[in-house]
Protein backbone atom coordinates (compact mmCIF):
# COMPACT_ATOMS: atom_id res chain seq x y z
CA UNK A 1 0.00 0.00 0.00
CA UNK A 2 1.26 3.40 -0.94
CA UNK A 3 1.88 5.87 1.92
CA UNK A 4 2.46 9.60 1.56
CA UNK A 5 6.01 10.71 2.50
CA UNK A 6 4.68 14.00 3.94
CA UNK A 7 3.93 12.70 7.45
CA UNK A 8 7.34 11.12 7.54
CA UNK A 9 8.97 14.45 6.64
CA UNK A 10 6.87 16.30 9.18
CA UNK A 11 7.80 13.78 11.80
CA UNK A 12 11.49 14.21 11.04
CA UNK A 13 11.10 17.96 11.15
CA UNK A 14 9.38 17.79 14.54
CA UNK A 15 12.12 15.54 15.83
CA UNK A 16 14.69 18.06 14.66
CA UNK A 17 12.81 20.84 16.48
CA UNK A 18 12.61 18.77 19.65
CA UNK A 19 16.29 17.94 19.48
CA UNK A 20 17.15 21.59 18.90
CA UNK A 21 14.92 22.74 21.77
CA UNK A 22 16.38 20.08 24.00
CA UNK A 23 19.94 21.18 23.23
CA UNK A 24 19.03 24.79 24.02
CA UNK A 25 17.61 23.76 27.37
CA UNK A 26 20.82 22.03 28.46
CA UNK A 27 22.85 24.33 30.74
CA UNK A 28 26.56 24.44 30.38
CA UNK A 29 28.14 22.97 33.48
CA UNK A 30 31.70 23.97 34.33
CA UNK A 31 34.18 21.24 35.02
CA UNK A 32 35.31 20.94 38.64
CA UNK A 33 38.47 22.76 39.66
CA UNK A 34 41.47 20.51 40.25
CA UNK A 35 43.68 20.89 43.30
CA UNK A 36 46.48 22.54 41.33
CA UNK A 37 44.15 25.35 40.17
CA UNK A 38 42.83 25.84 43.70
CA UNK A 39 46.34 26.07 45.15
CA UNK A 40 47.31 28.55 42.41
CA UNK A 41 44.33 30.65 43.52
CA UNK A 42 45.78 30.49 47.05
CA UNK A 43 49.07 31.89 45.80
CA UNK A 44 47.30 34.83 44.18
CA UNK A 45 44.94 35.56 47.06
CA UNK A 46 47.69 35.53 49.72
CA UNK A 47 49.96 37.72 47.58
CA UNK A 48 47.12 40.19 46.94
CA UNK A 49 46.25 40.44 50.64
CA UNK A 50 49.88 41.02 51.66
CA UNK A 51 50.33 43.72 49.03
CA UNK A 52 46.99 45.53 49.36
CA UNK A 53 46.00 44.63 52.94
CA UNK A 54 42.45 43.79 51.92
CA UNK A 55 40.58 40.91 50.30
CA UNK A 56 40.45 40.72 46.49
CA UNK A 57 37.01 40.82 44.89
CA UNK A 58 37.98 37.96 42.59
CA UNK A 59 40.95 35.99 41.32
CA UNK A 60 41.71 34.73 37.80
CA UNK A 61 42.89 31.13 37.52
CA UNK A 62 43.38 29.78 34.01
CA UNK A 63 40.35 30.92 32.01
CA UNK A 64 38.12 31.26 35.08
CA UNK A 65 37.38 34.10 37.47
CA UNK A 66 36.67 33.03 41.04
CA UNK A 67 35.39 35.21 43.87
CA UNK A 68 37.05 35.24 47.28
CA UNK A 69 34.40 33.28 49.26
CA UNK A 70 34.53 30.39 46.77
CA UNK A 71 38.36 30.48 46.70
CA UNK A 72 38.43 30.17 50.50
CA UNK A 73 35.95 27.29 50.46
CA UNK A 74 37.82 25.51 47.65
CA UNK A 75 41.09 25.86 49.57
CA UNK A 76 39.50 24.40 52.71
CA UNK A 77 38.38 21.42 50.61
CA UNK A 78 41.74 20.83 48.92
CA UNK A 79 43.76 21.28 52.11
CA UNK A 80 41.60 18.66 53.82
CA UNK A 81 41.99 16.06 51.09
CA UNK A 82 39.77 16.83 48.07
CA UNK A 83 41.30 16.59 44.57
CA UNK A 84 38.37 18.20 42.77
CA UNK A 85 36.02 21.03 43.81
CA UNK A 86 32.73 21.65 42.04
CA UNK A 87 32.04 25.28 41.13
CA UNK A 88 29.17 26.71 43.19
CA UNK A 89 27.92 29.93 44.71
CA UNK A 90 29.40 30.63 48.14
CA UNK A 91 28.37 33.75 50.05
CA UNK A 92 30.65 35.93 52.18
CA UNK A 93 29.72 36.90 55.74
CA UNK A 94 29.80 40.44 57.09
CA UNK A 95 33.37 41.23 58.12
CA UNK A 96 34.15 41.30 61.83
CA UNK A 97 37.93 41.56 61.74
CA UNK A 98 40.07 40.87 64.81
CA UNK A 99 43.76 41.70 64.90
CA UNK A 100 45.68 38.54 65.72
CA UNK A 101 49.30 37.44 65.78
CA UNK A 102 49.66 33.74 66.43
CA UNK A 103 51.71 30.69 65.54
CA UNK A 104 49.43 27.78 64.59
CA UNK A 105 50.45 24.13 64.60
CA UNK A 106 49.46 21.84 61.76
CA UNK A 107 46.79 20.27 63.98
CA UNK A 108 45.31 23.70 64.75
CA UNK A 109 45.22 25.04 61.20
CA UNK A 110 43.79 21.76 59.89
CA UNK A 111 41.08 22.06 62.55
CA UNK A 112 40.27 25.53 61.20
CA UNK A 113 40.26 24.30 57.58
CA UNK A 114 37.94 21.38 58.44
CA UNK A 115 35.48 23.59 60.33
CA UNK A 116 35.55 26.18 57.54
CA UNK A 117 34.77 23.42 54.99
CA UNK A 118 31.97 21.84 57.03
CA UNK A 119 30.24 25.07 58.01
CA UNK A 120 30.36 26.42 54.46
CA UNK A 121 29.16 23.13 52.89
CA UNK A 122 26.15 23.11 55.18
CA UNK A 123 24.97 26.69 54.60
CA UNK A 124 26.70 27.98 51.42
CA UNK A 125 27.86 30.87 53.61
CA UNK A 126 31.44 31.23 54.78
CA UNK A 127 31.57 31.42 58.61
CA UNK A 128 31.97 34.87 60.18
CA UNK A 129 34.20 33.40 62.90
CA UNK A 130 35.52 29.93 63.77
CA UNK A 131 36.30 28.62 67.24
CA UNK A 132 39.26 26.26 67.47
CA UNK A 133 41.52 24.84 70.16
CA UNK A 134 43.71 27.97 70.09
CA UNK A 135 40.92 30.56 70.24
CA UNK A 136 38.84 32.22 67.49
CA UNK A 137 39.62 33.36 63.98
CA UNK A 138 37.46 35.64 61.82
CA UNK A 139 36.69 35.30 58.10
CA UNK A 140 39.27 37.88 56.97
CA UNK A 141 42.13 36.19 58.81
CA UNK A 142 40.83 32.72 57.88
CA UNK A 143 41.00 33.60 54.17
CA UNK A 144 44.56 34.80 54.61
CA UNK A 145 45.48 31.69 56.60
CA UNK A 146 44.00 29.23 54.08
CA UNK A 147 45.56 31.05 51.11
CA UNK A 148 48.94 31.23 52.85
CA UNK A 149 48.88 27.46 53.52
CA UNK A 150 47.76 26.85 49.93
CA UNK A 151 50.68 28.92 48.64
CA UNK A 152 53.14 26.94 50.74
CA UNK A 153 51.78 23.64 49.48
CA UNK A 154 51.83 24.87 45.87
CA UNK A 155 55.47 25.98 46.16
CA UNK A 156 56.82 23.14 48.33
CA UNK A 157 54.52 20.22 47.52
CA UNK A 158 53.59 19.62 51.16
CA UNK A 159 51.82 21.21 54.09
CA UNK A 160 53.86 23.33 56.54
CA UNK A 161 54.52 22.07 60.08
CA UNK A 162 53.24 25.39 61.43
CA UNK A 163 52.02 28.78 60.20
CA UNK A 164 52.72 32.20 61.70
CA UNK A 165 49.87 34.59 60.94
CA UNK A 166 49.59 38.30 61.73
CA UNK A 167 46.54 40.20 60.54
CA UNK A 168 47.51 41.95 57.29
CA UNK A 169 45.95 45.31 58.11
CA UNK A 170 47.57 48.62 59.19
CA UNK A 171 46.58 50.59 62.28
CA UNK A 172 45.02 53.35 60.17
CA UNK A 173 44.17 54.31 56.61
CA UNK A 174 46.42 57.39 56.38
CA UNK A 175 47.86 58.30 52.99
CA UNK A 176 50.63 60.27 54.69
CA UNK A 177 51.60 60.76 58.33
CA UNK A 178 51.92 64.49 58.97
CA UNK A 179 53.93 64.04 62.18
CA UNK A 180 56.45 61.86 60.34
CA UNK A 181 56.76 64.45 57.57
CA UNK A 182 57.51 67.21 60.07
CA UNK A 183 60.09 65.10 61.89
CA UNK A 184 61.73 64.15 58.61
CA UNK A 185 61.93 67.78 57.46
CA UNK A 186 63.49 68.88 60.75
CA UNK A 187 65.99 66.02 60.60
CA UNK A 188 66.95 66.83 57.00
CA UNK A 189 67.44 70.52 57.79
CA UNK A 190 69.71 69.56 60.68
CA UNK A 191 71.74 67.21 58.45
CA UNK A 192 72.03 69.87 55.73
CA UNK A 193 73.25 72.43 58.26
CA UNK A 194 75.93 70.03 59.53
CA UNK A 195 76.97 69.11 55.97
CA UNK A 196 77.37 72.79 54.99
CA UNK A 197 79.46 73.38 58.11
CA UNK A 198 81.77 70.48 57.21
CA UNK A 199 82.06 71.63 53.59
CA UNK A 200 83.06 75.14 54.68
CA UNK A 201 85.63 73.70 57.08
CA UNK A 202 87.20 71.56 54.32
CA UNK A 203 87.27 74.54 51.94
CA UNK A 204 89.30 76.48 54.49
CA UNK A 205 91.66 73.56 55.09
CA UNK A 206 92.24 73.17 51.34
CA UNK A 207 92.94 76.90 51.00
CA UNK A 208 95.60 76.93 53.69
CA UNK A 209 97.14 73.49 53.17
CA UNK A 210 100.43 73.22 51.29
CA UNK A 211 100.50 69.42 51.13
CA UNK A 212 99.30 68.03 47.78
CA UNK A 213 98.31 64.63 49.23
CA UNK A 214 96.34 66.32 51.96
CA UNK A 215 94.63 68.57 49.41
CA UNK A 216 93.68 65.57 47.23
CA UNK A 217 92.27 63.69 50.23
CA UNK A 218 90.29 66.75 51.30
CA UNK A 219 88.97 67.31 47.77
CA UNK A 220 87.77 63.70 47.64
CA UNK A 221 85.97 64.14 50.93
CA UNK A 222 84.50 67.41 49.70
CA UNK A 223 83.02 65.68 46.62
CA UNK A 224 81.37 63.09 48.86
CA UNK A 225 79.88 65.83 51.01
CA UNK A 226 78.64 67.69 47.93
CA UNK A 227 76.85 64.53 46.76
CA UNK A 228 75.34 64.12 50.21
CA UNK A 229 74.25 67.76 50.21
CA UNK A 230 72.55 67.33 46.81
CA UNK A 231 70.76 64.18 48.00
CA UNK A 232 69.60 65.78 51.25
CA UNK A 233 68.27 68.83 49.42
CA UNK A 234 66.33 66.58 47.05
CA UNK A 235 64.80 64.76 49.99
CA UNK A 236 63.96 68.05 51.67
CA UNK A 237 62.17 69.33 48.54
CA UNK A 238 60.19 66.08 48.39
CA UNK A 239 58.99 66.23 52.00
CA UNK A 240 58.31 69.97 51.85
CA UNK A 241 56.20 69.22 48.78
CA UNK A 242 54.11 66.83 50.87
CA UNK A 243 53.23 69.72 53.16
CA UNK A 244 51.07 71.19 50.40
CA UNK A 245 49.37 67.84 49.75
CA UNK A 246 45.63 67.75 50.57
CA UNK A 247 46.44 64.79 52.85
CA UNK A 248 48.80 66.84 55.02
CA UNK A 249 47.17 67.90 58.29
CA UNK A 250 48.45 71.14 59.88
CA UNK A 251 49.69 70.72 63.45
CA UNK A 252 46.83 72.87 64.80
CA UNK A 253 44.29 70.32 63.50
CA UNK A 254 45.99 67.06 64.48
CA UNK A 255 43.96 66.69 67.64
CA UNK A 256 41.03 66.07 65.28
CA UNK A 257 42.55 62.83 63.93
CA UNK A 258 42.93 61.10 67.31
CA UNK A 259 40.91 58.29 68.88
CA UNK A 260 38.41 59.19 71.58
CA UNK A 261 36.17 57.15 73.87
CA UNK A 262 33.45 56.38 71.32
CA UNK A 263 35.54 56.95 68.21
CA UNK A 264 38.11 54.14 67.96
CA UNK A 265 40.07 54.92 64.80
CA UNK A 266 42.19 51.75 65.10
CA UNK A 267 39.20 49.37 65.10
CA UNK A 268 40.21 46.97 62.26
CA UNK A 269 36.70 47.00 60.76
CA UNK A 270 36.69 50.80 60.59
CA UNK A 271 40.22 50.86 59.14
CA UNK A 272 39.32 48.20 56.55
CA UNK A 273 36.18 50.05 55.43
CA UNK A 274 38.05 53.37 55.26
CA UNK A 275 40.74 51.79 53.06
CA UNK A 276 38.05 50.30 50.80
CA UNK A 277 36.37 53.71 50.39
CA UNK A 278 39.56 55.77 49.98
CA UNK A 279 39.56 58.03 46.91
CA UNK A 280 42.30 59.91 45.08
CA UNK A 281 41.72 63.12 47.04
CA UNK A 282 40.54 64.04 50.52
CA UNK A 283 37.30 65.41 49.06
CA UNK A 284 36.50 62.26 47.06
CA UNK A 285 37.37 60.15 50.10
CA UNK A 286 35.12 62.25 52.36
CA UNK A 287 32.32 61.94 49.79
CA UNK A 288 32.72 58.15 49.65
CA UNK A 289 32.73 57.84 53.45
CA UNK A 290 29.72 60.14 53.86
CA UNK A 291 27.69 58.34 51.17
CA UNK A 292 28.43 54.93 52.67
CA UNK A 293 27.28 55.88 56.19
CA UNK A 294 24.20 57.71 54.89
CA UNK A 295 23.16 54.81 52.64
CA UNK A 296 24.12 51.84 54.83
CA UNK A 297 23.35 52.88 58.41
CA UNK A 298 19.65 53.13 59.32
CA UNK A 299 18.48 55.94 61.56
CA UNK A 300 17.16 54.95 65.01
CA UNK A 301 15.63 57.39 67.47
CA UNK A 302 17.06 57.37 70.99
CA UNK A 303 18.96 59.80 73.16
CA UNK A 304 22.74 60.13 73.56
CA UNK A 305 25.30 57.42 72.72
CA UNK A 306 24.53 53.70 72.73
CA UNK A 307 26.99 51.98 70.42
CA UNK A 308 29.87 54.28 69.53
CA UNK A 309 31.57 54.07 66.13
CA UNK A 310 32.46 50.36 66.33
CA UNK A 311 29.05 49.21 67.51
CA UNK A 312 27.22 51.36 64.97
CA UNK A 313 29.24 49.83 62.15
CA UNK A 314 28.45 46.31 63.37
CA UNK A 315 24.72 46.97 63.88
CA UNK A 316 24.30 49.25 60.84
CA UNK A 317 21.88 51.42 62.81
CA UNK A 318 22.23 54.45 65.08
CA UNK A 319 20.82 57.81 66.13
CA UNK A 320 22.43 61.11 65.15
CA UNK A 321 25.15 60.82 67.82
CA UNK A 322 26.22 57.29 66.93
CA UNK A 323 26.15 58.03 63.20
CA UNK A 324 28.36 61.04 63.93
CA UNK A 325 30.74 58.78 65.90
CA UNK A 326 31.07 56.46 62.89
CA UNK A 327 31.46 59.33 60.43
CA UNK A 328 34.17 60.93 62.59
CA UNK A 329 36.00 57.61 63.09
CA UNK A 330 36.06 56.79 59.37
CA UNK A 331 37.32 60.28 58.53
CA UNK A 332 39.99 60.36 61.25
CA UNK A 333 41.39 56.92 60.43
CA UNK A 334 41.63 58.13 56.82
CA UNK A 335 43.72 61.11 57.97
CA UNK A 336 40.92 63.65 57.54
CA UNK A 337 40.31 65.92 60.58
CA UNK A 338 36.77 65.55 61.92
CA UNK A 339 34.77 67.04 64.81
CA UNK A 340 31.26 67.09 66.30
CA UNK A 341 28.69 69.87 66.16
CA UNK A 342 25.69 70.03 68.51
CA UNK A 343 22.81 72.27 67.68
CA UNK A 344 19.16 72.85 68.54
CA UNK A 345 17.48 72.30 65.16
CA UNK A 346 14.05 72.77 63.64
CA UNK A 347 13.38 69.71 61.47
CA UNK A 348 11.17 69.52 58.37
CA UNK A 349 8.47 67.99 60.59
CA UNK A 350 8.31 71.32 62.42
CA UNK A 351 9.63 69.82 65.66
CA UNK A 352 12.72 71.08 67.49
CA UNK A 353 15.36 68.64 68.73
CA UNK A 354 18.92 68.72 70.00
CA UNK A 355 20.93 67.30 67.10
CA UNK A 356 24.54 66.16 66.58
CA UNK A 357 26.45 65.69 63.32
CA UNK A 358 30.02 65.60 62.01
CA UNK A 359 32.16 68.18 60.24
CA UNK A 360 35.19 67.21 58.14
CA UNK A 361 38.12 69.51 57.40
CA UNK A 362 39.11 69.47 53.73
CA UNK A 363 41.98 71.62 52.46
CA UNK A 364 40.65 74.46 50.34
CA UNK A 365 37.08 73.96 51.61
CA UNK A 366 37.47 74.27 55.39
CA UNK A 367 35.01 72.54 57.72
CA UNK A 368 32.38 70.69 55.68
CA UNK A 369 29.07 69.49 57.16
CA UNK A 370 28.50 65.71 57.08
CA UNK A 371 25.03 64.93 58.46
CA UNK A 372 24.27 61.32 57.44
CA UNK A 373 20.90 60.99 59.21
CA UNK A 374 18.71 61.53 56.14
CA UNK A 375 18.94 60.34 52.53
CA UNK A 376 18.18 63.88 51.29
CA UNK A 377 21.40 65.23 52.79
CA UNK A 378 24.62 65.46 50.80
CA UNK A 379 28.18 66.24 51.83
CA UNK A 380 28.20 69.94 52.70
CA UNK A 381 24.41 70.37 52.48
CA UNK A 382 21.54 69.67 54.89
CA UNK A 383 17.89 69.37 53.82
CA UNK A 384 16.10 67.65 56.72
CA UNK A 385 16.37 70.59 59.12
CA UNK A 386 16.37 74.36 58.77
CA UNK A 387 19.94 75.65 58.88
CA UNK A 388 18.93 79.33 59.03
CA UNK A 389 16.91 79.21 62.27
CA UNK A 390 18.85 76.53 64.17
CA UNK A 391 21.10 77.55 67.03
CA UNK A 392 24.65 76.16 67.40
CA UNK A 393 25.27 74.95 70.95
CA UNK A 394 28.89 73.73 70.73
CA UNK A 395 31.66 72.40 68.49
CA UNK A 396 33.50 69.45 70.03
CA UNK A 397 36.62 67.38 69.62
CA UNK A 398 34.93 64.56 71.54
CA UNK A 399 31.31 63.78 72.24
CA UNK A 400 31.07 61.52 75.29
CA UNK A 401 27.55 61.98 76.68
CA UNK A 402 25.91 58.60 77.24
Amino acid sequence: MYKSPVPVCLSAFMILILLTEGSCAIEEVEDPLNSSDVLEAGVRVSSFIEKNQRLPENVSVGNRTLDTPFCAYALSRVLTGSNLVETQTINAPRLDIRRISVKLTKKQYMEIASKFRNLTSRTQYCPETISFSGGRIDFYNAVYLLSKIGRYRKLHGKLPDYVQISTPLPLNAYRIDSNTIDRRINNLKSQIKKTIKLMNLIHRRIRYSGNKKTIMRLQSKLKSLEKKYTYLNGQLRYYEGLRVSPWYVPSSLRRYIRSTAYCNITDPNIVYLARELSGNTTHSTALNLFSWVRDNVDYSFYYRTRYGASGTLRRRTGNCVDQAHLMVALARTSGIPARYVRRYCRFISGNWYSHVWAQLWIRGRGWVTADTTHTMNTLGHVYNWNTSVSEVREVLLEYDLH
Side-chain angles (χ1 to χ4, degrees):
M1 183 180 294
Y2 176 79
K3 294 182 179 180
S4 170
V6 175
V8 176
C9 293
L10 286 173
S11 178
F13 182 70
M14 290 174 68
I15 290 170
L16 179 61
I17 290 174
L18 289 171
L19 287 172
T20 303
E21 289 179 344
S23 65
C24 291
I26 296 172
E27 293 184 3
E28 185 179 347
V29 179
E30 285 189 316
D31 293 331
L33 283 167
N34 60 47
S35 59
S36 179
D37 287 338
V38 172
L39 294 176
E40 177 61 31
V43 173
R44 299 187 183 189
V45 170
S46 57
S47 298
F48 182 94
I49 293 173
E50 288 168 354
K51 179 181 178 182
N52 299 283
Q53 298 177 312
R54 64 181 177 86
L55 298 178
E57 291 184 13
N58 50 59
V59 178
S60 296
V61 179
N63 60 353
R64 301 195 200 188
T65 300
L66 313 174
D67 61 23
T68 296
F70 176 74
C71 281
Y73 171 64
L75 280 162
S76 72
R77 289 277 304 275
V78 168
L79 295 175
T80 55
S82 298
N83 292 319
L84 296 173
V85 182
E86 302 80 12
T87 303
Q88 57 185 293
T89 299
I90 300 295
N91 299 295
R94 182 177 292 178
L95 288 181
D96 186 10
I97 304 171
R98 304 169 183 214
R99 282 200 175 88
I100 61 174
S101 181
V102 64
K103 183 177 180 179
L104 299 172
T105 64
K106 187 175 182 178
K107 182 179 179 181
Q108 287 176 320
Y109 73 66
M110 288 302 291
E111 179 188 357
I112 293 169
S114 297
K115 287 190 173 182
F116 193 101
R117 176 200 64 200
N118 295 339
L119 290 167
T120 306
S121 294
R122 189 161 60 247
T123 64
Q124 271 63 60
Y125 273 86
C126 293
E128 189 172 293
T129 60
I130 296 172
S131 297
F132 68 103
S133 57
R136 294 180 70 84
I137 187 168
D138 61 87
F139 173 70
Y140 179 71
N141 284 297
V143 172
Y144 179 49
L145 172 66
L146 294 170
S147 62
K148 191 173 181 179
I149 298 167
R151 177 174 64 187
Y152 186 95
R153 181 172 156 186
K154 178 72 173 178
L155 298 177
H156 300 280
K158 63 178 183 178
L159 292 173
D161 294 328
Y162 66 88
V163 176
Q164 178 74 41
I165 178 171
S166 296
T167 308
L169 191 66
L171 291 176
N172 58 58
Y174 291 175
R175 288 293 186 90
I176 60 175
D177 187 325
S178 302
N179 285 322
T180 299
I181 290 170
D182 287 351
R183 285 194 300 268
R184 185 64 177 150
I185 287 173
N186 291 335
N187 180 262
L188 285 165
K189 286 182 175 179
S190 177
Q191 288 189 64
I192 288 171
K193 187 176 180 179
K194 290 177 181 177
T195 303
I196 291 172
K197 187 175 180 180
L198 279 173
M199 289 168 65
N200 290 335
L201 178 62
I202 291 173
H203 272 298
R204 286 196 298 271
R205 291 182 63 186
I206 289 173
R207 187 180 308 144
Y208 295 110
S209 176
N211 188 302
K212 289 185 179 180
K213 287 185 178 181
T214 300
I215 290 172
M216 289 178 64
R217 179 173 56 79
L218 291 172
Q219 286 176 336
S220 176
K221 189 171 183 179
L222 183 61
K223 285 182 180 179
S224 296
L225 286 171
E226 287 172 345
K227 286 181 180 179
K228 181 179 180 180
Y229 174 79
T230 301
Y231 169 77
L232 292 173
N233 266 293
Q235 288 288 293
L236 181 60
R237 285 194 298 272
Y238 169 75
Y239 283 101
E240 285 183 331
L242 291 179
R243 275 185 167 170
V244 298
S245 162
W247 295 100
Y248 177 81
V249 179
S251 58
S252 60
L253 295 174
R254 287 177 202 164
R255 64 185 183 276
Y256 292 111
I257 56 172
R258 297 173 185 162
S259 277
T260 54
Y262 297 100
C263 172
N264 180 7
I265 68 170
T266 61
D267 179 323
N269 297 288
I270 288 173
V271 174
Y272 187 93
L273 179 59
R275 286 174 60 82
E276 286 275 88
L277 298 173
S278 181
N280 293 326
T281 65
T282 50
H283 182 258
S284 63
T285 299
L287 182 59
N288 292 343
L289 299 176
F290 171 86
S291 300
W292 192 94
V293 176
R294 181 196 61 191
D295 299 341
N296 290 278
V297 178
D298 295 329
Y299 178 78
S300 301
F301 181 81
Y302 53 87
Y303 292 104
R304 301 184 178 89
T305 294
R306 279 190 185 176
Y307 311 126
S310 299
T312 303
L313 179 57
R314 282 196 301 273
R315 290 173 172 82
R316 304 291 173 89
T317 187
N319 69 348
C320 63
V321 180
D322 279 328
Q323 288 199 28
H325 284 316
L326 180 55
M327 187 70 249
V328 168
L330 286 168
R332 288 182 180 180
T333 198
S334 300
I336 299 173
R339 67 187 185 185
Y340 301 86
V341 179
R342 189 168 76 89
R343 197 170 188 174
Y344 196 57
C345 302
R346 182 180 181 181
F347 283 80
I348 53 177
S349 63
N351 297 322
W352 289 79
Y353 295 102
S354 180
H355 185 48
V356 176
W357 68 94
Q359 283 185 334
L360 315 183
W361 186 84
I362 300 171
R363 186 181 290 275
R365 298 171 185 260
W367 288 103
V368 178
T369 295
D371 186 342
T372 61
T373 56
H374 201 287
T375 55
M376 291 191 306
N377 295 342
T378 58
L379 183 64
H381 299 281
V382 172
Y383 298 102
N384 65 323
W385 49 269
N386 190 327
T387 58
S388 61
V389 299
S390 302
E391 177 188 348
V392 174
R393 293 290 180 86
E394 52 192 346
V395 176
L396 301 165
L397 166 70
E398 177 177 8
Y399 192 91
D400 60 0
L401 296 179
H402 60 281

